[in-house]
């Protein structure tokens, strides 16, 4: 159960950072072709999704580890997710976003499993 709770924090951080990256012109163009820009409504949705996922990850980290340690754990998860995205986005942007969709779906399943348990 603790492993599932820790995975949820990591999954929310990765999904949030991926959504924020995709809201940027450069990373959107990497996926959709040179010169492509996300439409304004999509950009806002991606930004809101990213910030909400990061806030949910922070809230969950503080819930499972307490205030001080939860914040440290969340920053550590952000660091790990940021490094993973830094390594994946320049060389394999499609795989990075495919991983984000998979991890986002797994985060939903983990949240449901934690709510049931």
């Amino acid at each position: 159960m603790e492993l599932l709770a820790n995975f949820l924090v990591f999954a929310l951080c990765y999904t949030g950072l991926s959504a924020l990256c995709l809201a940027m012109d450069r990373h959107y163009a990497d996926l959709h072709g040179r010169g492509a820009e996300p439409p304004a409504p999509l950009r806002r949705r991606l930004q809101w999704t990213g910030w909400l996922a990061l806030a949910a990850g922070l809230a969950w980290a503080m819930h499972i580890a307490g205030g001080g340690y939860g914040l440290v754990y969340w920053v550590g998860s952000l660091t790990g997710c940021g490094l993973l995205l830094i390594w994946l986005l320049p060389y394999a942007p499609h795989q990075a976003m495919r991983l984000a969709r998979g991890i986002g779906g797994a985060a939903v399943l983990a949240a449901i499993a934690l709510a049931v348990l």
Side-chain angles (χ1 to χ4, degrees):
M1 177 134 142
E2 186 176 329
L3 182 63
L4 193 60
N6 292 334
F7 171 76
L8 183 58
V9 174
F10 184 83
L12 287 169
C13 288
Y14 187 83
T15 304
L17 286 177
S18 297
L20 289 174
C21 285
L22 195 55
M24 296 172 61
D25 292 338
R26 176 182 176 184
H27 299 302
Y28 189 85
D30 287 344
L31 290 173
H32 299 288
R34 186 177 189 155
E37 293 181 3
L42 176 62
R43 182 187 308 265
R44 279 191 300 277
R45 267 195 320 259
L46 287 168
Q47 288 172 343
W48 274 101
T49 301
W51 288 115
L52 287 174
L54 291 177
L58 175 61
W60 187 250
M62 291 180 129
H63 173 73
I64 62 174
Y69 289 118
L71 184 61
V72 171
Y73 178 63
W74 180 72
V75 169
S77 293
L78 280 178
T79 303
C81 293
L83 285 172
L84 184 58
L85 279 169
I86 286 170
W87 289 330
L88 283 176
L89 279 176
Y91 303 109
H94 291 284
Q95 287 77 8
M97 291 304 133
R98 207 172 295 136
L99 181 63
R101 281 192 300 267
I103 287 179
V108 170
L109 294 176
I112 291 170
L114 288 169
V116 171
L117 297 176

